[in-house]
Amino acid sequence: MQIYICVKHVPDSAAHITILDKNRIEENVNFLLNPYDEHAITESIKIKDKYPGSEVIAVCLGKQDAEKTLRSAMAMGADRSILIASDALHDSIATARILKAAIEQDGNPGLIFTGKESIDSEGMQTQFRIGALFDFPVATNVVRLDIEADAVIVDTQMSGGIANTYEMTLPCVIGAGRGLNTPGYPTFPDVVKSKKKPVKKIALTDLLVETAHSSTNIIALEPLTQTRTPEEITGNAKEIALKIVNILKEEAKVI
Amino acid sequence: MMKNVGVIIELDNGRVKESNWGMITLARQKNTKLFAFVINAAPGKLKPALELFGITNIVDICFAKDWENNPAKNPAVWAKVLINVIKEYHIDAVFGLSTAMGKDLMPRMAALIEAPLIMDCFSVDLENNLAKTSQYSGKTIATIKLTGDVLLFGVRPNCVEPVEAQVSSEILKFEGTHIHSKGLKVIKAGDTDKSSKINLAEADVIVAGGRGMKNAENFTLLFLCAQKLKAALGASRVAVDSGWVPYSMQVGQTGEKVSPIVYIACGISGSVQHFAGMKTSGMVIAVNMDENAAIMSTCDYYAVADALKIIPELTKLL
Ligand SMILES: Cc1cc2nc3c(=O)[nH]c(=O)nc-3n(C[C@H](O)[C@H](O)[C@H](O)COP(=O)(O)OP(=O)(O)OC[C@H]3O[C@@H](n4cnc5c(N)ncnc54)[C@H](O)[C@@H]3O)c2cc1C
């Protein structure tokens, strides 16, 4: 089985974000593999261990520098990867079309993984769009996955610790959630090995993807400014507690 | 031109969840006609409340209970049916809540018709087709232009103050619910309706604990306090990773994004990633031993104190 993992090259969550030209960010910060995608890779490797002969392929639409993220994916165990190099910002509608075209051109997906969302644009939808384009079933925020001959059983995380259980036919699309597994850090030999694994580079124009009639475009980006002016609550434990109660009553009006 | 705007109503025990009212208020803009999509409920009972908030058309969507594969709970079937509802009533824009249910439903709808969708938005301008949402771990606010025949908006719960606007409404029965889902079957749907726990994403008050709580037992202190406050319990990633509380309680970039009226952070340092999930809270109160912790300079009230001492005192007073 061929398992494709769609990975995204995103700014480090701790990075300081500077805005350029009103709607772009200064890209001179550390970029890395989207954290949810790590769970997708870890799960793919588990499936490969169960079904020897499977191939795990990481796919990324991103700038040239995204090769670094693909190397991380391969250090975590992906066999090879595909980079669709593009400096432009693509919305999830275009991204899904492009990823679909790249996967289709490359092989026969038995399973497609994504993270449940990317930590930069936080869109939560690319997995569903890929699924719809392939006409594959989709589950998102998957925290448990059991694979059988021609079906998968998944638990998806709902609110309040409740899970839904879905059965999906194969091939299908899985949006990995954080509870799915615990990604391990690659060892030094893994990193060395990943440097020798192949990265296929495709030009976006070679995929002949038609432009969708719908889109989402970021027209402005502003820093979220902090407007709070902290005020100290002083006293002993009892006095502090009493002051908090008063704030909750008089100001916040929640009790 | 008049726009037909649909709102997907989320229910709790057959009642309209509180967080819907703010969403409806956001959807009710100049030149809009509001359609409430009510799924598997008695619309007559909900009518007075929906009318109070400006709904003029209630679309009653009921799934047969005996239909195969439990479609009454199948998000893939819901999505297909809702798309048919959109077509039937010439809906131009759809609003839903960016809750666990919304995150499993709205992107399915958007994908089916390749419509633009912004999840977790807190502001929408239907005249110019713009939505605002946070990006880059809550460090920026993006204004996004949507282009398409039908626009979808997943609204962050609690982000808009509900405002009433009394009208009268009619109930429209939608019949086309006998739809199959190819590929996805529901084996078990956790009954969110019956859970007595207060939902983190929709709570008015959240009491959250971090590394400073030191162990799982101390979280009981927080739980007792939360119970008295009718608050939901939240946690930092450290508390989750230490195994003190389940992941479903994690607030932050890789957890739940919340905007309660009050967020009380106990023994939480206020990392960038934690902030990404609770930045939009109304009021932030921090209890931390370290006056230099990041949270102390980014909150509304802070106490330099031992949370393990303050919380029991607080519980006693409630
Ligand atoms: C990709 C990525 C994603 C992440 N996602 C999240 C996320 O979603 N949510 C999240 O929370 N974190 C997330 N993190 C982790 C984050 O970076 C921090 O490590 C974490 O938030 C710290 O948790 P904390 O505040 O509980 O612990 P610490 O930073 O260790 O802070 C503990 C605080 O408790 C105080 N304290 C100690 N004892 C007491 C006491 N008795 N009374 C009062 N105060 C006391 C200390 O002074 C300190 O300020 C993420 C990290 C990465 C890299």
Side-chain angles (χ1 to χ4, degrees), chain B residues 241-317:
Chain B
D241 286 352
S242 307
W244 304 339
V245 290
Y247 169 59
S248 57
M249 276 171 51
Q250 183 178 319
V251 172
Q253 167 162 37
T254 46
E256 205 74 55
K257 309 244 167 43
V258 298
S259 3
I261 298 172
V262 182
Y263 190 88
I264 307 177
C266 306
I268 292 178
S269 65
S271 65
V272 174
Q273 294 91 357
H274 190 77
F275 248 88
M278 41 66 78
K279 229 173 190 169
T280 49
S281 301
M283 176 192 284
V284 178
I285 303 176
V287 180
N288 198 305
M289 303 251 260
D290 177 5
E291 60 178 323
N292 294 317
I295 195 141
M296 307 301 244
S297 56
T298 44
C299 64
D300 300 289
Y301 290 101
Y302 66 95
V304 184
D306 185 347
L308 301 177
K309 296 219 173 78
I310 303 291
I311 298 156
E313 289 295 335
L314 191 56
T315 312
K316 268 195 254 167
L317 292 172

Side-chain angles (χ1 to χ4, degrees), chain A residues 11-17 19 25 35-36 89 92-93 97 116-117 119-125 128-130 132-133 135 137-141 143 153 155-169 177-179 212-234 236-238 240-245 247-249 251-252 254-255, chain B residues 75 100-101 103-104 107-108 110-120 130 132 134-149 182-192 195 197 199 204-205 229 237 240-241 247-248 250 253-255 257 261-262 264 272-273 275 278-285 287 296-305 309-310 313-314 317-318:
Chain A
D12 189 328
S13 57
H16 181 73
I17 300 290
I19 294 157
I25 65 157
Y36 292 108
L89 206 60
S92 61
I93 298 171
R97 284 184 174 221
K116 84 167 167 95
E117 65 186 270
I119 64 164
D120 54 354
S121 51
E122 306 175 10
M124 319 176 190
Q125 50 190 279
F128 291 101
R129 297 193 186 275
I130 294 171
L133 292 169
D135 199 17
V138 185
T140 198
N141 207 359
V143 292
I153 313 277
D155 279 357
T156 67
Q157 180 76 54
M158 303 307 279
S159 47
I162 295 163
N164 281 353
T165 307
Y166 300 148
E167 181 185 310
M168 295 191 290
T169 52
R178 205 170 82 81
H213 71 287
S214 54
S215 63
T216 58
N217 289 299
I218 300 171
I219 58 164
L221 212 51
E222 305 148 56
L224 198 136
T225 43
Q226 187 63 51
T227 51
R228 301 181 201 275
T229 37
E231 200 176 304
E232 186 172 359
I233 307 170
T234 51
N236 62 31
K238 212 179 223 136
I240 290 173
L242 194 62
K243 284 178 187 170
I244 293 177
V245 171
I247 292 166
L248 295 176
K249 249 190 213 147
E251 196 183 331
V254 289
I255 49 174
Chain B
M101 175 192 134
K103 289 173 189 170
D104 201 12
R108 289 183 194 276
L112 283 174
I113 51 170
E114 221 177 32
L117 160 71
I118 305 299
M119 288 303 285
D120 217 23
L130 299 175
K132 282 186 200 265
S134 54
Q135 291 192 332
Y136 299 100
S137 320
K139 279 174 266 187
T140 67
I141 295 173
T143 304
I144 303 176
K145 171 110 190 159
L146 293 83
T147 309
D149 299 333
K182 194 179 82 155
L184 189 143
K185 238 193 328 193
V186 177
I187 306 291
K188 186 189 114 242
D191 219 336
T192 24
S195 84
K197 264 198 245 159
N199 193 326
D204 282 340
V205 182
L229 274 171
R237 172 147 160 189
V240 172
D241 286 352
Y247 169 59
S248 57
Q250 183 178 319
Q253 167 162 37
T254 46
K257 309 244 167 43
I261 298 172
V262 182
I264 307 177
V272 174
Q273 294 91 357
F275 248 88
M278 41 66 78
K279 229 173 190 169
T280 49
S281 301
M283 176 192 284
V284 178
I285 303 176
V287 180
M296 307 301 244
S297 56
T298 44
C299 64
D300 300 289
Y301 290 101
Y302 66 95
V304 184
K309 296 219 173 78
I310 303 291
E313 289 295 335
L314 191 56
L317 292 172
L318 294 166

Side-chain angles (χ1 to χ4, degrees), chain B:
Chain B
M1 213 182 70
M2 196 64 150
K3 282 184 178 155
N4 290 341
V5 177
V7 286
I8 303 169
I9 302 296
E10 237 184 83
L11 301 169
D12 182 10
N13 268 324
R15 301 212 358 235
V16 178
K17 275 191 190 175
E18 283 303 317
S19 35
N20 288 279
W21 307 124
M23 169 185 66
I24 296 174
T25 304
L26 180 62
R28 195 177 64 224
Q29 301 189 8
K30 222 170 85 190
N31 297 325
T32 55
K33 187 171 165 187
L34 292 188
F35 290 68
F37 301 161
V38 174
I39 304 168
N40 296 335
K45 272 211 295 206
L46 311 180
K47 195 171 185 266
L50 292 171
E51 287 178 339
L52 190 59
F53 281 90
I55 301 285
T56 49
N57 297 74
I58 301 171
V59 185
D60 170 19
I61 305 158
C62 252
F63 291 94
K65 291 236 160 48
D66 54 351
W67 193 243
E68 69 177 289
N69 297 346
N70 200 10
K73 302 259 170 162
N74 188 324
V77 174
W78 281 31
K80 284 188 186 172
V81 169
L82 286 172
I83 293 302
N84 290 340
V85 170
I86 287 171
K87 289 186 180 145
E88 169 107 7
Y89 299 105
H90 307 288
I91 301 293
D92 301 297
V94 181
F95 287 66
L97 286 167
S98 206
T99 51
M101 175 192 134
K103 289 173 189 170
D104 201 12
L105 178 63
M106 301 204 65
R108 289 183 194 276
M109 295 168 61
L112 283 174
I113 51 170
E114 221 177 32
L117 160 71
I118 305 299
M119 288 303 285
D120 217 23
C121 54
F122 51 82
S123 154
V124 174
D125 166 1
L126 284 176
E127 212 164 341
N128 299 300
N129 298 341
L130 299 175
K132 282 186 200 265
T133 181
S134 54
Q135 291 192 332
Y136 299 100
S137 320
K139 279 174 266 187
T140 67
I141 295 173
T143 304
I144 303 176
K145 171 110 190 159
L146 293 83
T147 309
D149 299 333
V150 181
L151 316 181
L152 282 84
F153 304 95
V155 179
R156 182 180 285 206
N158 293 351
C159 72
V160 178
E161 191 73 31
V163 178
E164 295 174 2
Q166 180 78 50
V167 292
S168 59
S169 69
E170 66 175 310
I171 295 175
L172 311 161
K173 178 118 186 99
F174 185 78
E175 299 290 349
T177 56
H178 275 203
I179 284 186
H180 289 274
S181 128
K182 194 179 82 155
L184 189 143
K185 238 193 328 193
V186 177
I187 306 291
K188 186 189 114 242
D191 219 336
T192 24
D193 288 355
K194 296 217 172 62
S195 84
S196 58
K197 264 198 245 159
I198 295 163
N199 193 326
L200 195 55
E202 294 154 50
D204 282 340
V205 182
I206 293 175
V207 182
R211 194 198 300 273
M213 295 308 294
K214 299 196 172 68
N215 56 47
E217 291 71 49
N218 287 336
F219 261 87
T220 320
L221 299 175
L222 273 189
F223 176 72
L224 292 172
C225 181
Q227 239 182 353
K228 284 275 170 79
L229 274 171
K230 297 201 175 48
L233 201 52
S236 76
R237 172 147 160 189
V238 168
V240 172
D241 286 352
S242 307
W244 304 339
V245 290
Y247 169 59
S248 57
M249 276 171 51
Q250 183 178 319
V251 172
Q253 167 162 37
T254 46
E256 205 74 55
K257 309 244 167 43
V258 298
S259 3
I261 298 172
V262 182
Y263 190 88
I264 307 177
C266 306
I268 292 178
S269 65
S271 65
V272 174
Q273 294 91 357
H274 190 77
F275 248 88
M278 41 66 78
K279 229 173 190 169
T280 49
S281 301
M283 176 192 284
V284 178
I285 303 176
V287 180
N288 198 305
M289 303 251 260
D290 177 5
E291 60 178 323
N292 294 317
I295 195 141
M296 307 301 244
S297 56
T298 44
C299 64
D300 300 289
Y301 290 101
Y302 66 95
V304 184
D306 185 347
L308 301 177
K309 296 219 173 78
I310 303 291
I311 298 156
E313 289 295 335
L314 191 56
T315 312
K316 268 195 254 167
L317 292 172
L318 294 166

Side-chain angles (χ1 to χ4, degrees), chain A residues 173-247:
Chain A
V173 182
I174 305 282
R178 205 170 82 81
L180 186 55
N181 49 47
T182 311
Y185 288 101
T187 61
F188 183 67
D190 291 334
V191 175
V192 171
K193 254 201 289 183
S194 77
K195 299 217 161 95
K196 300 206 184 80
K197 292 180 179 176
V199 177
K200 176 164 101 180
K201 292 188 182 163
I202 0 187
L204 186 50
T205 44
D206 288 347
L207 287 174
L208 305 174
V209 176
E210 274 181 52
T211 315
H213 71 287
S214 54
S215 63
T216 58
N217 289 299
I218 300 171
I219 58 164
L221 212 51
E222 305 148 56
L224 198 136
T225 43
Q226 187 63 51
T227 51
R228 301 181 201 275
T229 37
E231 200 176 304
E232 186 172 359
I233 307 170
T234 51
N236 62 31
K238 212 179 223 136
E239 287 158 1
I240 290 173
L242 194 62
K243 284 178 187 170
I244 293 177
V245 171
N246 277 332
I247 292 166

